[in-house]
Amino acid sequence: PDTIELAQVSNAVILRPNHDFISSKFICYRINAERQKMQKMKVGGVFQVVNTKSMESFEVSIPPIKEQHLV
């Protein structure tokens, strides 16, 4: 959320979408729908995570903003 100005987290990817092009609610639903795909992107030994390098290759198709609000 925009209300969080600062956070310290060791394993997190923060998305701040441009609301002119993508709805926060839509991107949340899309990423949750891709959970299984993301599980295959994990890296590391004992404690596996999806890191920012892994996320660079993660693609999400984005429909026009009007369609996103139908979710």
Side-chain angles (χ1 to χ4, degrees):
D2 293 333
T3 56
I4 297 176
E5 294 181 21
L6 179 67
Q8 182 174 349
V9 181
S10 61
N11 293 306
V13 174
I14 298 172
L15 301 173
R16 289 194 177 232
N18 178 332
H19 295 345
D20 292 336
F21 302 101
I22 191 161
S23 153
S24 296
K25 185 177 175 182
F26 173 81
I27 198 67
C28 180
Y29 283 140
R30 284 297 292 136
I31 289 173
N32 281 327
E34 298 288 344
R35 274 172 128 28
Q36 192 169 17
K37 181 178 177 182
M38 291 177 75
Q39 291 295 322
K40 295 177 184 176
M41 297 168 57
K42 286 184 175 182
V43 295
V46 175
F47 186 66
Q48 293 190 336
V49 297
V50 177
N51 63 16
T52 53
K53 190 71 174 172
S54 300
M55 287 302 293
E56 286 176 359
S57 64
F58 186 73
E59 294 184 15
V60 176
S61 57
I62 303 172
I65 192 74
K66 288 182 181 182
E67 289 181 34
Q68 294 175 38
H69 289 293
L70 298 175
V71 174

Short mmCIF file of all heavy atoms in Angstrom, two decimals:
data_model
loop_
_atom_site.label_atom_id
_atom_site.label_comp_id
_atom_site.label_asym_id
_atom_site.label_seq_id
_atom_site.Cartn_x
_atom_site.Cartn_y
_atom_site.Cartn_z
N PRO A 1 0.83 -1.21 0.00
CA PRO A 1 0.00 0.00 0.00
C PRO A 1 0.86 1.26 0.00
O PRO A 1 1.98 1.24 0.51
CB PRO A 1 -0.80 -0.12 1.28
CG PRO A 1 -0.46 -1.41 1.90
CD PRO A 1 0.65 -2.03 1.14
N ASP A 2 0.34 2.32 -0.55
CA ASP A 2 1.07 3.58 -0.59
C ASP A 2 1.35 4.15 0.80
O ASP A 2 2.22 5.00 0.96
CB ASP A 2 0.30 4.62 -1.42
CG ASP A 2 0.25 4.25 -2.89
OD1 ASP A 2 1.16 3.54 -3.36
OD2 ASP A 2 -0.70 4.65 -3.57
N THR A 3 0.63 3.68 1.82
CA THR A 3 0.81 4.20 3.17
C THR A 3 2.10 3.69 3.81
O THR A 3 2.56 4.26 4.79
CB THR A 3 -0.37 3.79 4.07
OG1 THR A 3 -0.50 2.36 4.04
CG2 THR A 3 -1.66 4.45 3.61
N ILE A 4 2.70 2.64 3.26
CA ILE A 4 3.96 2.12 3.79
C ILE A 4 5.11 2.84 3.09
O ILE A 4 5.30 2.69 1.89
CB ILE A 4 4.08 0.61 3.59
CG1 ILE A 4 2.98 -0.11 4.36
CG2 ILE A 4 5.46 0.12 4.03
CD1 ILE A 4 2.96 -1.61 4.16
N GLU A 5 5.84 3.64 3.85
CA GLU A 5 6.94 4.40 3.26
C GLU A 5 8.27 3.67 3.36
O GLU A 5 9.14 3.83 2.52
CB GLU A 5 7.03 5.77 3.93
CG GLU A 5 5.83 6.64 3.64
CD GLU A 5 5.94 8.01 4.28
OE1 GLU A 5 7.07 8.43 4.60
OE2 GLU A 5 4.91 8.66 4.46
N LEU A 6 8.46 2.85 4.39
CA LEU A 6 9.73 2.19 4.61
C LEU A 6 9.50 0.85 5.27
O LEU A 6 8.67 0.73 6.17
CB LEU A 6 10.63 3.07 5.50
CG LEU A 6 12.00 2.53 5.85
CD1 LEU A 6 12.86 2.46 4.58
CD2 LEU A 6 12.68 3.43 6.87
N ALA A 7 10.20 -0.16 4.81
CA ALA A 7 10.10 -1.48 5.42
C ALA A 7 11.44 -2.19 5.22
O ALA A 7 12.12 -1.99 4.22
CB ALA A 7 8.99 -2.29 4.78
N GLN A 8 11.82 -3.01 6.18
CA GLN A 8 13.04 -3.79 6.05
C GLN A 8 12.66 -5.26 6.12
O GLN A 8 12.24 -5.76 7.16
CB GLN A 8 14.04 -3.45 7.15
CG GLN A 8 15.32 -4.22 6.99
CD GLN A 8 16.37 -3.79 7.99
OE1 GLN A 8 16.22 -2.79 8.69
NE2 GLN A 8 17.43 -4.55 8.08
N VAL A 9 12.77 -5.93 5.00
CA VAL A 9 12.41 -7.33 4.89
C VAL A 9 13.51 -8.02 4.10
O VAL A 9 13.96 -7.50 3.08
CB VAL A 9 11.05 -7.49 4.15
CG1 VAL A 9 10.66 -8.95 4.05
CG2 VAL A 9 9.97 -6.70 4.86
N SER A 10 13.94 -9.18 4.56
CA SER A 10 15.06 -9.84 3.88
C SER A 10 14.63 -10.55 2.60
O SER A 10 15.42 -10.69 1.67
CB SER A 10 15.75 -10.81 4.82
OG SER A 10 14.84 -11.81 5.25
N ASN A 11 13.40 -11.02 2.51
CA ASN A 11 12.97 -11.77 1.34
C ASN A 11 11.60 -11.29 0.89
O ASN A 11 10.58 -11.85 1.27
CB ASN A 11 12.90 -13.28 1.63
CG ASN A 11 14.26 -13.86 1.88
OD1 ASN A 11 15.14 -13.70 1.04
ND2 ASN A 11 14.46 -14.49 3.01
N ALA A 12 11.59 -10.24 0.08
CA ALA A 12 10.33 -9.70 -0.39
C ALA A 12 10.52 -9.04 -1.75
O ALA A 12 11.60 -8.55 -2.07
CB ALA A 12 9.78 -8.68 0.59
N VAL A 13 9.47 -9.09 -2.52
CA VAL A 13 9.43 -8.35 -3.77
C VAL A 13 8.26 -7.41 -3.65
O VAL A 13 7.14 -7.83 -3.37
CB VAL A 13 9.24 -9.29 -4.99
CG1 VAL A 13 9.06 -8.49 -6.26
CG2 VAL A 13 10.42 -10.24 -5.10
N ILE A 14 8.50 -6.13 -3.81
CA ILE A 14 7.45 -5.13 -3.67
C ILE A 14 7.10 -4.60 -5.05
O ILE A 14 7.99 -4.19 -5.80
CB ILE A 14 7.89 -3.98 -2.75
CG1 ILE A 14 8.18 -4.53 -1.35
CG2 ILE A 14 6.83 -2.88 -2.71
CD1 ILE A 14 8.80 -3.52 -0.41
N LEU A 15 5.83 -4.62 -5.37
CA LEU A 15 5.36 -4.09 -6.64
C LEU A 15 4.59 -2.81 -6.37
O LEU A 15 3.71 -2.78 -5.52
CB LEU A 15 4.44 -5.10 -7.33
CG LEU A 15 5.03 -6.46 -7.64
CD1 LEU A 15 3.95 -7.38 -8.17
CD2 LEU A 15 6.15 -6.33 -8.64
N ARG A 16 4.92 -1.78 -7.10
CA ARG A 16 4.18 -0.53 -7.03
C ARG A 16 3.70 -0.22 -8.44
O ARG A 16 4.38 0.46 -9.19
CB ARG A 16 5.04 0.59 -6.48
CG ARG A 16 5.32 0.39 -5.02
CD ARG A 16 5.88 1.65 -4.44
NE ARG A 16 6.06 1.41 -3.02
CZ ARG A 16 5.58 2.20 -2.09
NH1 ARG A 16 4.93 3.27 -2.43
NH2 ARG A 16 5.77 1.92 -0.83
N PRO A 17 2.52 -0.74 -8.78
CA PRO A 17 2.04 -0.56 -10.15
C PRO A 17 1.63 0.88 -10.46
O PRO A 17 1.17 1.60 -9.58
CB PRO A 17 0.84 -1.50 -10.23
CG PRO A 17 0.38 -1.64 -8.82
CD PRO A 17 1.60 -1.51 -7.97
N ASN A 18 1.80 1.24 -11.70
CA ASN A 18 1.30 2.51 -12.20
C ASN A 18 -0.20 2.31 -12.39
O ASN A 18 -0.62 1.58 -13.27
CB ASN A 18 1.98 2.87 -13.52
CG ASN A 18 1.47 4.16 -14.10
OD1 ASN A 18 0.33 4.56 -13.88
ND2 ASN A 18 2.32 4.82 -14.86
N HIS A 19 -1.01 2.97 -11.58
CA HIS A 19 -2.46 2.74 -11.57
C HIS A 19 -3.16 3.19 -12.84
O HIS A 19 -4.34 2.91 -13.04
CB HIS A 19 -3.10 3.36 -10.35
CG HIS A 19 -2.67 2.72 -9.06
ND1 HIS A 19 -2.03 1.51 -8.99
CD2 HIS A 19 -2.79 3.12 -7.78
CE1 HIS A 19 -1.77 1.19 -7.74
NE2 HIS A 19 -2.22 2.15 -6.97
N ASP A 20 -2.45 3.91 -13.72
CA ASP A 20 -3.03 4.27 -15.02
C ASP A 20 -3.08 3.06 -15.94
O ASP A 20 -3.86 3.03 -16.88
CB ASP A 20 -2.20 5.37 -15.70
CG ASP A 20 -2.28 6.69 -14.97
OD1 ASP A 20 -3.28 6.91 -14.24
OD2 ASP A 20 -1.34 7.50 -15.11
N PHE A 21 -2.23 2.06 -15.66
CA PHE A 21 -2.10 0.90 -16.54
C PHE A 21 -2.46 -0.43 -15.89
O PHE A 21 -2.82 -1.38 -16.58
CB PHE A 21 -0.68 0.80 -17.09
CG PHE A 21 -0.25 2.01 -17.83
CD1 PHE A 21 0.57 2.95 -17.24
CD2 PHE A 21 -0.70 2.24 -19.13
CE1 PHE A 21 0.96 4.09 -17.93
CE2 PHE A 21 -0.32 3.37 -19.82
CZ PHE A 21 0.51 4.30 -19.22
N ILE A 22 -2.34 -0.51 -14.56
CA ILE A 22 -2.60 -1.79 -13.90
C ILE A 22 -3.22 -1.58 -12.52
O ILE A 22 -2.80 -0.73 -11.75
CB ILE A 22 -1.32 -2.64 -13.81
CG1 ILE A 22 -1.64 -4.06 -13.37
CG2 ILE A 22 -0.28 -2.01 -12.94
CD1 ILE A 22 -0.58 -5.05 -13.69
N SER A 23 -4.21 -2.38 -12.24
CA SER A 23 -4.92 -2.34 -10.96
C SER A 23 -4.17 -3.20 -9.95
O SER A 23 -3.76 -4.32 -10.25
CB SER A 23 -6.34 -2.88 -11.18
OG SER A 23 -6.85 -3.44 -10.01
N SER A 24 -3.99 -2.69 -8.73
CA SER A 24 -3.33 -3.46 -7.67
C SER A 24 -4.08 -4.75 -7.39
O SER A 24 -3.47 -5.81 -7.19
CB SER A 24 -3.26 -2.64 -6.38
OG SER A 24 -2.46 -1.51 -6.55
N LYS A 25 -5.39 -4.67 -7.39
CA LYS A 25 -6.22 -5.86 -7.15
C LYS A 25 -6.00 -6.89 -8.26
O LYS A 25 -5.84 -8.08 -7.99
CB LYS A 25 -7.69 -5.44 -7.10
CG LYS A 25 -8.65 -6.54 -6.75
CD LYS A 25 -10.06 -5.96 -6.65
CE LYS A 25 -11.09 -7.02 -6.41
NZ LYS A 25 -12.45 -6.47 -6.37
N PHE A 26 -5.93 -6.43 -9.52
CA PHE A 26 -5.71 -7.33 -10.64
C PHE A 26 -4.36 -8.04 -10.53
O PHE A 26 -4.27 -9.25 -10.67
CB PHE A 26 -5.79 -6.58 -11.97
CG PHE A 26 -5.41 -7.44 -13.14
CD1 PHE A 26 -6.33 -8.31 -13.70
CD2 PHE A 26 -4.13 -7.38 -13.68
CE1 PHE A 26 -5.98 -9.12 -14.77
CE2 PHE A 26 -3.77 -8.19 -14.74
CZ PHE A 26 -4.70 -9.06 -15.29
N ILE A 27 -3.29 -7.28 -10.27
CA ILE A 27 -1.97 -7.89 -10.21
C ILE A 27 -1.88 -8.88 -9.04
O ILE A 27 -1.24 -9.92 -9.13
CB ILE A 27 -0.84 -6.84 -10.17
CG1 ILE A 27 0.51 -7.46 -10.56
CG2 ILE A 27 -0.71 -6.16 -8.85
CD1 ILE A 27 0.63 -7.91 -11.96
N CYS A 28 -2.56 -8.59 -7.96
CA CYS A 28 -2.60 -9.51 -6.82
C CYS A 28 -3.25 -10.83 -7.23
O CYS A 28 -2.73 -11.91 -6.96
CB CYS A 28 -3.35 -8.87 -5.66
SG CYS A 28 -3.46 -9.91 -4.20
N TYR A 29 -4.40 -10.75 -7.90
CA TYR A 29 -5.08 -11.96 -8.38
C TYR A 29 -4.22 -12.73 -9.37
O TYR A 29 -4.14 -13.96 -9.32
CB TYR A 29 -6.41 -11.61 -9.05
CG TYR A 29 -7.53 -11.27 -8.09
CD1 TYR A 29 -8.41 -10.24 -8.37
CD2 TYR A 29 -7.71 -11.99 -6.92
CE1 TYR A 29 -9.44 -9.93 -7.50
CE2 TYR A 29 -8.74 -11.68 -6.04
CZ TYR A 29 -9.60 -10.65 -6.34
OH TYR A 29 -10.62 -10.35 -5.48
N ARG A 30 -3.55 -12.03 -10.29
CA ARG A 30 -2.73 -12.70 -11.31
C ARG A 30 -1.56 -13.42 -10.68
O ARG A 30 -1.25 -14.55 -11.04
CB ARG A 30 -2.22 -11.70 -12.35
CG ARG A 30 -3.26 -11.27 -13.34
CD ARG A 30 -3.78 -12.43 -14.21
NE ARG A 30 -2.74 -12.91 -15.10
CZ ARG A 30 -2.47 -14.18 -15.33
NH1 ARG A 30 -3.15 -15.12 -14.75
NH2 ARG A 30 -1.52 -14.53 -16.15
N ILE A 31 -0.87 -12.76 -9.75
CA ILE A 31 0.28 -13.40 -9.11
C ILE A 31 -0.17 -14.60 -8.29
O ILE A 31 0.46 -15.65 -8.31
CB ILE A 31 1.08 -12.39 -8.27
CG1 ILE A 31 1.80 -11.43 -9.22
CG2 ILE A 31 2.06 -13.09 -7.34
CD1 ILE A 31 2.49 -10.28 -8.54
N ASN A 32 -1.28 -14.47 -7.57
CA ASN A 32 -1.78 -15.62 -6.80
C ASN A 32 -2.19 -16.76 -7.73
O ASN A 32 -2.02 -17.93 -7.38
CB ASN A 32 -2.96 -15.20 -5.92
CG ASN A 32 -2.49 -14.50 -4.67
OD1 ASN A 32 -1.44 -14.81 -4.13
ND2 ASN A 32 -3.27 -13.55 -4.20
N ALA A 33 -2.70 -16.45 -8.90
CA ALA A 33 -3.08 -17.48 -9.86
C ALA A 33 -1.84 -18.20 -10.41
O ALA A 33 -1.94 -19.35 -10.85
CB ALA A 33 -3.89 -16.87 -11.00
N GLU A 34 -0.69 -17.56 -10.35
CA GLU A 34 0.55 -18.12 -10.88
C GLU A 34 1.43 -18.73 -9.79
O GLU A 34 2.59 -19.00 -10.00
CB GLU A 34 1.34 -17.04 -11.63
CG GLU A 34 0.63 -16.47 -12.82
CD GLU A 34 0.54 -17.43 -13.98
OE1 GLU A 34 1.28 -18.44 -14.01
OE2 GLU A 34 -0.27 -17.18 -14.89
N ARG A 35 0.86 -19.01 -8.64
CA ARG A 35 1.64 -19.53 -7.51
C ARG A 35 2.44 -20.78 -7.87
O ARG A 35 3.60 -20.92 -7.49
CB ARG A 35 0.74 -19.85 -6.33
CG ARG A 35 0.45 -18.68 -5.42
CD ARG A 35 -0.60 -19.08 -4.41
NE ARG A 35 -0.46 -18.92 -3.02
CZ ARG A 35 0.23 -18.05 -2.33
NH1 ARG A 35 1.02 -17.23 -2.92
NH2 ARG A 35 0.20 -17.99 -1.03
N GLN A 36 1.83 -21.70 -8.56
CA GLN A 36 2.51 -22.95 -8.91
C GLN A 36 3.72 -22.67 -9.81
O GLN A 36 4.78 -23.25 -9.63
CB GLN A 36 1.54 -23.90 -9.60
CG GLN A 36 2.09 -25.30 -9.72
CD GLN A 36 1.02 -26.28 -10.16
OE1 GLN A 36 -0.03 -25.90 -10.66
NE2 GLN A 36 1.28 -27.55 -9.97
N LYS A 37 3.55 -21.77 -10.76
CA LYS A 37 4.66 -21.38 -11.64
C LYS A 37 5.78 -20.74 -10.82
O LYS A 37 6.95 -21.01 -11.03
CB LYS A 37 4.15 -20.41 -12.70
CG LYS A 37 5.18 -19.96 -13.69
CD LYS A 37 4.54 -19.02 -14.71
CE LYS A 37 5.54 -18.47 -15.69
NZ LYS A 37 4.91 -17.54 -16.64
N MET A 38 5.40 -19.92 -9.85
CA MET A 38 6.39 -19.25 -9.02
C MET A 38 7.14 -20.23 -8.13
O MET A 38 8.32 -20.03 -7.84
CB MET A 38 5.74 -18.15 -8.19
CG MET A 38 5.27 -16.99 -9.04
SD MET A 38 4.43 -15.73 -8.07
CE MET A 38 5.83 -14.96 -7.28
N GLN A 39 6.49 -21.30 -7.70
CA GLN A 39 7.16 -22.31 -6.88
C GLN A 39 8.36 -22.90 -7.62
O GLN A 39 9.38 -23.22 -7.02
CB GLN A 39 6.18 -23.43 -6.50
CG GLN A 39 5.09 -23.01 -5.54
CD GLN A 39 5.62 -22.62 -4.18
OE1 GLN A 39 6.55 -23.21 -3.66
NE2 GLN A 39 5.04 -21.59 -3.59
N LYS A 40 8.25 -23.02 -8.92
CA LYS A 40 9.34 -23.57 -9.74
C LYS A 40 10.47 -22.57 -9.93
O LYS A 40 11.54 -22.94 -10.40
CB LYS A 40 8.79 -24.00 -11.11
CG LYS A 40 7.80 -25.14 -11.01
CD LYS A 40 7.23 -25.47 -12.37
CE LYS A 40 6.16 -26.55 -12.23
NZ LYS A 40 5.50 -26.82 -13.51
N MET A 41 10.26 -21.31 -9.57
CA MET A 41 11.26 -20.27 -9.74
C MET A 41 12.13 -20.10 -8.50
O MET A 41 13.06 -19.30 -8.49
CB MET A 41 10.57 -18.93 -10.05
CG MET A 41 9.80 -18.93 -11.34
SD MET A 41 8.72 -17.49 -11.53
CE MET A 41 9.85 -16.13 -11.37
N LYS A 42 11.86 -20.85 -7.44
CA LYS A 42 12.60 -20.69 -6.19
C LYS A 42 14.07 -21.04 -6.37
O LYS A 42 14.42 -21.93 -7.12
CB LYS A 42 11.99 -21.57 -5.09
CG LYS A 42 10.69 -21.06 -4.56
CD LYS A 42 10.23 -21.92 -3.42
CE LYS A 42 8.98 -21.37 -2.78
NZ LYS A 42 8.56 -22.19 -1.64
N VAL A 43 14.90 -20.32 -5.64
CA VAL A 43 16.34 -20.56 -5.64
C VAL A 43 16.82 -20.66 -4.20
O VAL A 43 16.14 -20.23 -3.27
CB VAL A 43 17.11 -19.42 -6.36
CG1 VAL A 43 16.74 -19.38 -7.83
CG2 VAL A 43 16.84 -18.08 -5.72
N GLY A 44 17.98 -21.24 -4.01
CA GLY A 44 18.55 -21.34 -2.67
C GLY A 44 18.67 -22.77 -2.23
O GLY A 44 18.22 -23.69 -2.90
N GLY A 45 19.29 -22.94 -1.08
CA GLY A 45 19.53 -24.27 -0.53
C GLY A 45 18.42 -24.70 0.42
O GLY A 45 17.33 -25.10 0.00
N VAL A 46 18.69 -24.58 1.71
CA VAL A 46 17.74 -25.00 2.73
C VAL A 46 16.50 -24.12 2.73
O VAL A 46 15.37 -24.59 2.80
CB VAL A 46 18.40 -24.99 4.13
CG1 VAL A 46 17.38 -25.31 5.22
CG2 VAL A 46 19.56 -25.97 4.17
N PHE A 47 16.70 -22.81 2.64
CA PHE A 47 15.60 -21.84 2.66
C PHE A 47 15.42 -21.29 1.26
O PHE A 47 16.12 -20.37 0.85
CB PHE A 47 15.88 -20.73 3.68
CG PHE A 47 14.76 -19.78 3.87
CD1 PHE A 47 13.56 -20.20 4.45
CD2 PHE A 47 14.87 -18.46 3.48
CE1 PHE A 47 12.51 -19.32 4.63
CE2 PHE A 47 13.83 -17.57 3.65
CZ PHE A 47 12.65 -18.01 4.24
N GLN A 48 14.51 -21.85 0.49
CA GLN A 48 14.32 -21.43 -0.89
C GLN A 48 13.34 -20.27 -0.99
O GLN A 48 12.34 -20.24 -0.28
CB GLN A 48 13.83 -22.60 -1.73
CG GLN A 48 14.88 -23.68 -1.87
CD GLN A 48 14.49 -24.72 -2.88
OE1 GLN A 48 13.32 -24.92 -3.17
NE2 GLN A 48 15.47 -25.40 -3.43
N VAL A 49 13.67 -19.34 -1.87
CA VAL A 49 12.85 -18.15 -2.07
C VAL A 49 12.75 -17.81 -3.55
O VAL A 49 13.55 -18.27 -4.35
CB VAL A 49 13.43 -16.92 -1.32
CG1 VAL A 49 13.44 -17.14 0.17
CG2 VAL A 49 14.82 -16.59 -1.82
N VAL A 50 11.76 -17.02 -3.89
CA VAL A 50 11.67 -16.43 -5.23
C VAL A 50 12.31 -15.05 -5.07
O VAL A 50 11.75 -14.19 -4.41
CB VAL A 50 10.22 -16.31 -5.71
CG1 VAL A 50 10.16 -15.62 -7.05
CG2 VAL A 50 9.56 -17.69 -5.79
N ASN A 51 13.48 -14.87 -5.65
CA ASN A 51 14.19 -13.59 -5.48
C ASN A 51 13.91 -12.63 -6.63
O ASN A 51 13.20 -12.95 -7.57
CB ASN A 51 15.69 -13.82 -5.29
CG ASN A 51 16.36 -14.46 -6.49
OD1 ASN A 51 15.81 -14.49 -7.59
ND2 ASN A 51 17.55 -14.97 -6.29
N THR A 52 14.48 -11.44 -6.53
CA THR A 52 14.24 -10.42 -7.55
C THR A 52 14.78 -10.84 -8.90
O THR A 52 14.17 -10.53 -9.93
CB THR A 52 14.85 -9.06 -7.14
OG1 THR A 52 16.23 -9.26 -6.82
CG2 THR A 52 14.13 -8.48 -5.96
N LYS A 53 15.88 -11.57 -8.93
CA LYS A 53 16.43 -12.04 -10.21
C LYS A 53 15.44 -13.00 -10.87
O LYS A 53 15.21 -12.94 -12.07
CB LYS A 53 17.78 -12.72 -9.97
CG LYS A 53 18.53 -13.03 -11.21
CD LYS A 53 19.05 -11.75 -11.83
CE LYS A 53 19.94 -12.07 -13.01
NZ LYS A 53 20.31 -10.89 -13.75
N SER A 54 14.84 -13.88 -10.08
CA SER A 54 13.83 -14.81 -10.61
C SER A 54 12.62 -14.04 -11.13
O SER A 54 12.05 -14.39 -12.16
CB SER A 54 13.37 -15.79 -9.53
OG SER A 54 14.43 -16.55 -9.05
N MET A 55 12.22 -13.00 -10.42
CA MET A 55 11.03 -12.24 -10.80
C MET A 55 11.23 -11.46 -12.10
O MET A 55 10.28 -11.15 -12.78
CB MET A 55 10.63 -11.27 -9.68
CG MET A 55 10.00 -11.95 -8.47
SD MET A 55 8.53 -12.91 -8.87
CE MET A 55 7.40 -11.62 -9.34
N GLU A 56 12.49 -11.15 -12.45
CA GLU A 56 12.76 -10.42 -13.69
C GLU A 56 12.24 -11.18 -14.91
O GLU A 56 11.84 -10.58 -15.89
CB GLU A 56 14.25 -10.15 -13.85
CG GLU A 56 14.76 -9.06 -12.93
CD GLU A 56 16.26 -8.87 -13.05
OE1 GLU A 56 16.92 -9.58 -13.82
OE2 GLU A 56 16.77 -7.98 -12.35
N SER A 57 12.24 -12.51 -14.82
CA SER A 57 11.80 -13.31 -15.96
C SER A 57 10.31 -13.69 -15.87
O SER A 57 9.78 -14.32 -16.77
CB SER A 57 12.63 -14.59 -16.06
OG SER A 57 12.41 -15.40 -14.92
N PHE A 58 9.64 -13.28 -14.80
CA PHE A 58 8.24 -13.60 -14.60
C PHE A 58 7.37 -12.67 -15.44
O PHE A 58 7.44 -11.46 -15.29
CB PHE A 58 7.89 -13.47 -13.11
CG PHE A 58 6.51 -13.90 -12.76
CD1 PHE A 58 6.18 -15.24 -12.73
CD2 PHE A 58 5.53 -12.98 -12.46
CE1 PHE A 58 4.91 -15.65 -12.40
CE2 PHE A 58 4.26 -13.38 -12.12
CZ PHE A 58 3.95 -14.72 -12.09
N GLU A 59 6.61 -13.24 -16.35
CA GLU A 59 5.77 -12.43 -17.23
C GLU A 59 4.30 -12.61 -16.89
O GLU A 59 3.84 -13.71 -16.63
CB GLU A 59 6.01 -12.82 -18.68
CG GLU A 59 7.40 -12.49 -19.17
CD GLU A 59 7.61 -12.79 -20.63
OE1 GLU A 59 6.62 -12.99 -21.36
OE2 GLU A 59 8.78 -12.82 -21.04
N VAL A 60 3.59 -11.50 -16.90
CA VAL A 60 2.15 -11.49 -16.64
C VAL A 60 1.49 -10.73 -17.77
O VAL A 60 1.86 -9.59 -18.05
CB VAL A 60 1.83 -10.80 -15.29
CG1 VAL A 60 0.34 -10.71 -15.08
CG2 VAL A 60 2.48 -11.53 -14.14
N SER A 61 0.54 -11.35 -18.43
CA SER A 61 -0.18 -10.63 -19.48
C SER A 61 -1.14 -9.64 -18.81
O SER A 61 -1.80 -9.96 -17.83
CB SER A 61 -0.94 -11.59 -20.39
OG SER A 61 -1.82 -12.38 -19.64
N ILE A 62 -1.17 -8.44 -19.34
CA ILE A 62 -1.96 -7.37 -18.74
C ILE A 62 -2.99 -6.87 -19.73
O ILE A 62 -2.64 -6.26 -20.74
CB ILE A 62 -1.05 -6.21 -18.29
CG1 ILE A 62 0.00 -6.73 -17.31
CG2 ILE A 62 -1.88 -5.10 -17.65
CD1 ILE A 62 1.06 -5.71 -16.96
N PRO A 63 -4.28 -7.12 -19.44
CA PRO A 63 -5.32 -6.60 -20.32
C PRO A 63 -5.53 -5.10 -20.08
O PRO A 63 -5.00 -4.55 -19.10
CB PRO A 63 -6.56 -7.39 -19.89
CG PRO A 63 -6.31 -7.73 -18.46
CD PRO A 63 -4.82 -7.92 -18.35
N PRO A 64 -6.30 -4.44 -20.93
CA PRO A 64 -6.59 -3.02 -20.71
C PRO A 64 -7.18 -2.79 -19.31
O PRO A 64 -7.86 -3.66 -18.76
CB PRO A 64 -7.61 -2.70 -21.80
CG PRO A 64 -7.37 -3.72 -22.86
CD PRO A 64 -6.94 -4.96 -22.13
N ILE A 65 -6.94 -1.62 -18.78
CA ILE A 65 -7.34 -1.29 -17.41
C ILE A 65 -8.84 -1.49 -17.17
O ILE A 65 -9.25 -1.95 -16.10
CB ILE A 65 -6.88 0.14 -17.01
CG1 ILE A 65 -7.03 0.37 -15.51
CG2 ILE A 65 -7.60 1.20 -17.81
CD1 ILE A 65 -6.02 -0.34 -14.66
N LYS A 66 -9.68 -1.19 -18.14
CA LYS A 66 -11.13 -1.38 -17.97
C LYS A 66 -11.45 -2.84 -17.73
O LYS A 66 -12.32 -3.16 -16.91
CB LYS A 66 -11.90 -0.84 -19.17
CG LYS A 66 -11.93 0.65 -19.25
CD LYS A 66 -12.75 1.15 -20.42
CE LYS A 66 -12.74 2.65 -20.48
NZ LYS A 66 -13.56 3.18 -21.59
N GLU A 67 -10.79 -3.74 -18.43
CA GLU A 67 -11.01 -5.18 -18.23
C GLU A 67 -10.50 -5.63 -16.86
O GLU A 67 -11.09 -6.52 -16.23
CB GLU A 67 -10.32 -5.98 -19.32
CG GLU A 67 -10.97 -5.86 -20.67
CD GLU A 67 -10.25 -6.69 -21.71
OE1 GLU A 67 -9.73 -7.78 -21.38
OE2 GLU A 67 -10.20 -6.25 -22.87
N GLN A 68 -9.42 -5.04 -16.40
CA GLN A 68 -8.88 -5.41 -15.09
C GLN A 68 -9.88 -5.13 -13.97
O GLN A 68 -9.96 -5.87 -13.00
CB GLN A 68 -7.60 -4.63 -14.82
CG GLN A 68 -6.47 -4.98 -15.74
CD GLN A 68 -5.28 -4.09 -15.51
OE1 GLN A 68 -4.96 -3.73 -14.38
NE2 GLN A 68 -4.62 -3.72 -16.60
N HIS A 69 -10.63 -4.06 -14.11
CA HIS A 69 -11.60 -3.69 -13.06
C HIS A 69 -12.81 -4.60 -13.04
O HIS A 69 -13.64 -4.52 -12.13
CB HIS A 69 -12.01 -2.22 -13.21
CG HIS A 69 -10.90 -1.28 -12.83
ND1 HIS A 69 -10.44 -1.15 -11.54
CD2 HIS A 69 -10.16 -0.44 -13.58
CE1 HIS A 69 -9.47 -0.28 -11.50
NE2 HIS A 69 -9.27 0.18 -12.73
N LEU A 70 -12.94 -5.50 -14.02
CA LEU A 70 -14.03 -6.46 -14.01
C LEU A 70 -13.76 -7.62 -13.07
O LEU A 70 -14.65 -8.39 -12.76
CB LEU A 70 -14.26 -6.99 -15.44
CG LEU A 70 -14.66 -5.95 -16.48
CD1 LEU A 70 -14.74 -6.59 -17.86
CD2 LEU A 70 -15.99 -5.32 -16.10
N VAL A 71 -12.52 -7.73 -12.58
CA VAL A 71 -12.13 -8.83 -11.68
C VAL A 71 -12.81 -8.65 -10.36
O VAL A 71 -12.90 -7.61 -9.81
CB VAL A 71 -10.60 -8.87 -11.50
CG1 VAL A 71 -10.20 -9.90 -10.47
CG2 VAL A 71 -9.92 -9.13 -12.82
#
